[in-house]
Amino acid sequence: MTHSTVRSQQRAALWSGIALVLMALVAFFAQGYVYQSLVIESEAMTTYENLVSHSTLFRFGIIGWGIIVLLDLIVAYGLYRFFKPIRTTFALLIGTLRFIYSFILAFAVLRLVEAERLLDTSTSARQVYETVTSFETIWSLGLIVFGLHLIAVGWVAMRTQFIPRTIGILLVVAGFSYTIVHALYQFPTLESMTTLLELTLMLPMFVGELAFAVWLIVKGRILPTHDITRQSAGDASPAS
């Protein structure tokens, strides 16, 4: 592996880590504050009134989701570039899964855009509510793919000599958590059990990717060239 390739890999680590941290912050606003405060489960009229009376906040939330999609695309490409010198096939898998997730999320965000448009029409509160909450349904499907992406990242991370094995394990656990929880959400009769399971697994789901993001920023961008080169020589092959 050339020094220029290693430097490119280090830059990919830095930008991926920054994008992941920014994404967490924007998601806290767009999902944790805006969406959760305006959209009330099973309360179509209350949700409609919230969206009408706080339409500007709702629009800012949509903009936040748009930013998240863009950051996800940066992460998809950045992680592909970061892992490519080590495991080419898995790097492509990691990037592709993240891209597919980003595409599904973008489609889900379009439902929020449609709901915002409906606020200026004579559409019923029920239809607006269903349009808004369809965002969650579509996003949940995307999070199954997102979980598979984290499993792939964690598996490759555990096979490197320079990424702490603990981080790899956390990523795999987080990936399985996302995949299992959101696969179960596709069965409405299991919603109560699934919600409890999600609350139980929330910590590993959050900690896994955040820990990796911090490592990418702090350590990934300054990895010694000889460490990466030795890892690539030992692990990578045209077929891997």
Side-chain angles (χ1 to χ4, degrees), residues 47-115:
T47 297
Y48 178 79
E49 292 173 348
N50 287 343
L51 296 178
V52 171
S53 59
H54 299 87
S55 58
T56 300
L57 180 63
F58 184 45
R59 292 188 186 100
F60 276 118
I62 295 173
I63 292 172
W65 281 111
I67 293 172
I68 289 171
V69 171
L70 291 176
L71 291 172
D72 261 312
L73 292 173
I74 292 173
V75 172
Y77 181 68
L79 292 185
Y80 165 72
R81 290 293 300 272
F82 179 73
F83 285 114
K84 183 181 178 182
I86 305 167
R87 294 273 172 172
T88 305
T89 301
F90 271 89
L92 183 60
L93 175 64
I94 287 167
T96 300
L97 287 173
R98 188 91 187 204
F99 177 81
I100 292 172
Y101 163 71
S102 302
F103 178 81
I104 296 173
L105 177 58
F107 184 69
V109 173
L110 288 178
R111 301 305 295 158
L112 296 180
V113 174
E114 175 65 11

Side-chain angles (χ1 to χ4, degrees), residues 17-183:
I18 291 174
L20 286 169
V21 172
L22 288 176
M23 193 185 310
L25 295 175
V26 178
F28 178 80
F29 169 75
Q31 172 67 13
Y33 176 63
V34 177
Y35 190 89
Q36 293 295 332
S37 63
L38 297 182
V39 180
I40 311 301
E41 185 177 0
S42 302
E43 295 288 343
M45 182 55 69
T46 302
T47 297
Y48 178 79
E49 292 173 348
N50 287 343
L51 296 178
V52 171
S53 59
H54 299 87
S55 58
T56 300
L57 180 63
F58 184 45
R59 292 188 186 100
F60 276 118
I62 295 173
I63 292 172
W65 281 111
I67 293 172
I68 289 171
V69 171
L70 291 176
L71 291 172
D72 261 312
L73 292 173
I74 292 173
V75 172
Y77 181 68
L79 292 185
Y80 165 72
R81 290 293 300 272
F82 179 73
F83 285 114
K84 183 181 178 182
I86 305 167
R87 294 273 172 172
T88 305
T89 301
F90 271 89
L92 183 60
L93 175 64
I94 287 167
T96 300
L97 287 173
R98 188 91 187 204
F99 177 81
I100 292 172
Y101 163 71
S102 302
F103 178 81
I104 296 173
L105 177 58
F107 184 69
V109 173
L110 288 178
R111 301 305 295 158
L112 296 180
V113 174
E114 175 65 11
E116 193 275 333
R117 186 191 67 80
L118 292 176
L119 293 177
D120 296 326
T121 68
S122 56
T123 305
S124 67
R126 170 56 60 180
Q127 186 173 344
V128 171
Y129 175 80
E130 290 176 351
T131 302
V132 170
T133 54
S134 66
F135 159 79
E136 291 185 66
T137 303
I138 298 169
W139 184 31
S140 183
L141 288 171
L143 287 172
I144 297 174
V145 179
F146 178 74
L148 296 176
H149 157 81
L150 289 185
I151 292 171
V153 173
W155 187 87
V156 177
M158 286 192 295
R159 294 180 65 84
T160 69
Q161 297 172 1
F162 49 84
I163 300 176
R165 186 173 179 83
T166 302
I167 290 180
I169 293 172
L170 285 173
L171 286 167
V172 170
V173 171
F176 273 111
S177 298
Y178 273 107
T179 300
I180 292 171
V181 166
H182 289 279

